[in-house]
């Protein structure tokens, strides 16, 4: 399913959806009704013309059980926010909008899409211009995707050691993957490993992964004057609390200079094929080591070459299978304090 920001203006209806059985008498009142340009206004107009006793949606068949239309609008919209969840699962919201006209109207509620935009871009999306709606901004404005993981595969040939008799020299084919997963609250995970996606992707469902090699950090989006959206991230290794070893407590230990190590990553966000915002191209990668004793920082920049292959996005259904928290307005994210 593809999310289209202005789908209401691209659909011409010849009949009313029969999901709720309301408004069938208004289907073919005149020739103009069969070519409505604004589907949302059309649904709202139909519901307005009905009797005041009818609710936003009606059961198609009579049942002794309580129907969802009995719920107040506030409770119904709260359910919709649980569908979107704090992970911004707008795809499920679009699927829910296909149930009936009433759900379609609820799924187009501007407040839901406004909160989604605020969670992605923060204070930089206070104004709608140049977009006509919050939904259009969320679907059209460049952003990283959260319902999956970005993956790249690197393959190269490495020369091995020469045999003892000098008759031949072995060559090795090396393959490894890079995984990057973004979260709506500004956190990011990165992992480099030779293990294939089938075994790694399930481990990246939450930030509380037990994989020791995972790097954790924060990211921010930046749009420069060249109209190219870039992603900058600062990530570090997971902190491990090592228990004290009392076996050698009477021996003098060699003092090791403590240092904090972090990696600074720069990526360019692109679209490829029919999918949007599904490609990340490397533009910068460096290691920063800060010594606690002196406060000095040593920076080592890695050369971006053919070893840094682009990362392509893959959607993972299990990432949005469960909803832990509803969509709600949050405090300022750590994006505002992140600097490259």
């Amino acid at each position: 399913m593809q999310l289209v920001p202005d789908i209401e203006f691209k659909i011409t209806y010849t009949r009313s959806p029969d999901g709720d059985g309301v408004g069938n008498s208004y289907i073919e009142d005149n020739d103009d009704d069969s070519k409505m340009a604004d589907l949302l206004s059309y649904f709202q107009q139909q519901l307005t013309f009905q009797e005041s006793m009818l609710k936003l949606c009606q059961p198609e068949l009579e049942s002794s059980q309580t129907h969802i239309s009995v719920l107040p609008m506030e409770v119904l919209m709260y359910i919709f926010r649980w569908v979107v969840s704090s992970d911004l699962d707008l795809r499920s919201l679009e699927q829910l909008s296909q149930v009936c006209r009433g759900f379609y109207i609820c799924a187009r509620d501007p407040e839901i899409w406004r909160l989604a935009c605020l969670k992605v871009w923060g204070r930089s999306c206070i104004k709608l211009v140049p977009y006509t709606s919050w939904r259009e901004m969320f679907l059209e404005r460049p952003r990283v995707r959260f319902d999956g993981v970005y993956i790249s595969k690197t393959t190269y040939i490495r020369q091995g050691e020469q045999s003892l008799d000098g008759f031949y020299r072995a060559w090795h084919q090396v393959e490894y993957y890079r995984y990057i997963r973004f979260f709506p609250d500004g956190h990011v995970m990165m992992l480099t490993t030779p293990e294939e996606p089938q075994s790694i992707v399930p481990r990246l469902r939450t930030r509380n992964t037990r994989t020791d090699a995972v790097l954790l950090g924060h990211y921010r989006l930046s749009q420069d004057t060249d109209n190219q959206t870039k992603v900058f991230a600062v990530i570090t290794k997971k902190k491990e609390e090592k228990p004290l070893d009392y076996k050698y407590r009477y021996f003098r230990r060699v003092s090791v200079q403590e240092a904090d190590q972090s990696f600074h990553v720069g990526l360019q966000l692109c679209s490829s094929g029919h999918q949007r915002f599904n490609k990340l191209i490397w533009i910068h990668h460096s290691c920063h080591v800060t010594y606690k004793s002196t406060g000095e920082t040593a920076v080592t920049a890695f050369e971006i070459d053919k070893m840094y292959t682009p990362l392509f996005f893959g959607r993972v259904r299990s990432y949005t299978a469960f909803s832990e928290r509803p969509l709600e307005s949050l405090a300022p994210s750590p994006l505002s304090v992140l600097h490259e």
Side-chain angles (χ1 to χ4, degrees), residues 64-112:
S64 58
Q65 299 179 352
T66 302
H67 192 256
I68 193 173
S69 60
V70 180
L71 296 177
M73 178 61 68
E74 294 78 7
V75 177
L76 191 61
M77 293 307 303
Y78 189 65
I79 295 176
F80 273 66
R81 292 191 183 187
W82 268 102
V83 172
V84 177
S85 77
S86 58
D87 294 327
L88 298 186
D89 184 14
L90 278 306
R91 178 182 293 270
S92 296
L93 181 68
E94 293 291 292
Q95 293 175 340
L96 184 61
S97 68
Q98 300 176 9
V99 174
C100 63
R101 290 172 298 174
F103 281 16
Y104 186 95
I105 295 175
C106 292
R108 293 301 189 275
D109 181 57
E111 182 64 15
I112 292 181

Side-chain angles (χ1 to χ4, degrees), residues 115-125 146 183-187 207 217-221 328-339:
L115 292 177
C117 292
L118 288 176
K119 197 162 186 178
V120 175
W121 295 287
R123 300 176 182 177
S124 62
C125 67
F146 310 116
F183 295 89
D185 58 359
H187 288 85
R207 295 193 298 270
H218 298 90
Y219 73 94
R220 65 179 175 89
L221 298 176
E328 55 188 357
S329 57
L330 302 174
S333 66
L335 302 181
S336 57
V337 296
L338 178 64
H339 301 281

Side-chain angles (χ1 to χ4, degrees), residues 24-300:
N24 292 332
S25 59
Y26 294 88
I27 297 176
E28 296 179 351
D29 287 347
N30 51 58
D31 295 335
D32 295 334
D33 289 344
S34 63
K35 298 180 179 180
M36 295 298 298
D38 191 343
L39 189 60
L40 181 60
S41 299
Y42 176 56
F43 285 169
Q44 291 174 336
Q45 183 182 14
Q46 279 193 319
L47 292 175
T48 303
F49 286 161
Q50 308 308 309
E51 298 178 5
S52 59
M53 295 298 294
L54 296 179
K55 301 185 182 299
L56 186 64
C57 56
Q58 294 291 322
E60 185 176 3
L61 302 175
E62 293 185 2
S63 175
S64 58
Q65 299 179 352
T66 302
H67 192 256
I68 193 173
S69 60
V70 180
L71 296 177
M73 178 61 68
E74 294 78 7
V75 177
L76 191 61
M77 293 307 303
Y78 189 65
I79 295 176
F80 273 66
R81 292 191 183 187
W82 268 102
V83 172
V84 177
S85 77
S86 58
D87 294 327
L88 298 186
D89 184 14
L90 278 306
R91 178 182 293 270
S92 296
L93 181 68
E94 293 291 292
Q95 293 175 340
L96 184 61
S97 68
Q98 300 176 9
V99 174
C100 63
R101 290 172 298 174
F103 281 16
Y104 186 95
I105 295 175
C106 292
R108 293 301 189 275
D109 181 57
E111 182 64 15
I112 292 181
W113 295 93
R114 186 185 72 86
L115 292 177
C117 292
L118 288 176
K119 197 162 186 178
V120 175
W121 295 287
R123 300 176 182 177
S124 62
C125 67
I126 298 178
K127 297 182 180 180
L128 275 174
V129 178
Y131 305 100
T132 59
S133 66
W134 293 108
R135 182 174 181 271
E136 181 183 357
M137 174 187 288
F138 184 86
L139 299 180
E140 292 289 340
R141 187 172 177 177
R143 56 176 173 81
V144 292
R145 299 180 59 177
F146 310 116
D147 56 342
V149 59
Y150 290 85
I151 306 174
S152 70
K153 180 180 179 181
T154 302
T155 304
Y156 66 93
I157 303 297
R158 180 176 61 85
Q159 186 178 10
E161 296 181 357
Q162 192 173 7
S163 62
L164 296 177
D165 55 5
F167 183 73
Y168 70 91
R169 182 183 294 273
W171 292 84
H172 304 279
Q173 179 176 338
V174 181
E175 291 183 354
Y176 65 90
Y177 298 84
R178 284 191 178 97
Y179 304 88
I180 297 182
R181 190 191 172 189
F182 299 95
F183 295 89
D185 58 359
H187 288 85
V188 62
M189 292 193 307
M190 187 173 78
L191 174 63
T192 302
T193 176
E195 297 187 53
E196 296 185 351
Q198 290 81 354
S199 60
I200 291 297
V201 167
R203 305 181 196 175
L204 304 179
R205 184 177 179 273
T206 64
R207 295 193 298 270
N208 300 324
T209 177
R210 297 183 179 180
T211 306
D212 296 333
V214 169
L215 303 177
L216 304 177
H218 298 90
Y219 73 94
R220 65 179 175 89
L221 298 176
S222 175
Q223 190 169 12
D224 298 334
T225 55
D226 57 358
N227 203 28
Q228 297 291 334
T229 301
K230 297 179 176 58
V231 183
F232 296 102
V234 177
I235 53 181
T236 59
K237 293 183 179 179
K238 296 177 59 177
K239 294 183 179 180
E240 299 180 357
E241 296 182 359
K242 296 182 179 180
L244 296 177
D245 188 1
Y246 294 98
K247 183 177 180 181
Y248 303 100
R249 60 181 181 273
Y250 297 110
F251 292 88
R252 176 180 295 181
R253 295 182 178 181
V254 179
S255 59
V256 179
Q257 190 174 10
E258 296 184 356
D260 292 331
Q261 186 182 47
S262 62
F263 296 91
H264 291 230
V265 175
L267 302 161
Q268 180 176 337
L269 183 62
C270 307
S271 297
S272 175
H274 298 288
Q275 299 187 20
R276 311 199 66 183
F277 323 131
N278 66 327
K279 183 178 180 181
L280 293 173
I281 301 177
W282 290 85
I283 57 177
H284 174 73
H285 188 200
S286 62
C287 177
H288 295 234
V289 179
T290 302
Y291 299 98
K292 295 182 178 181
S293 59
T294 62
E296 297 180 355
T297 301
V299 180
T300 302

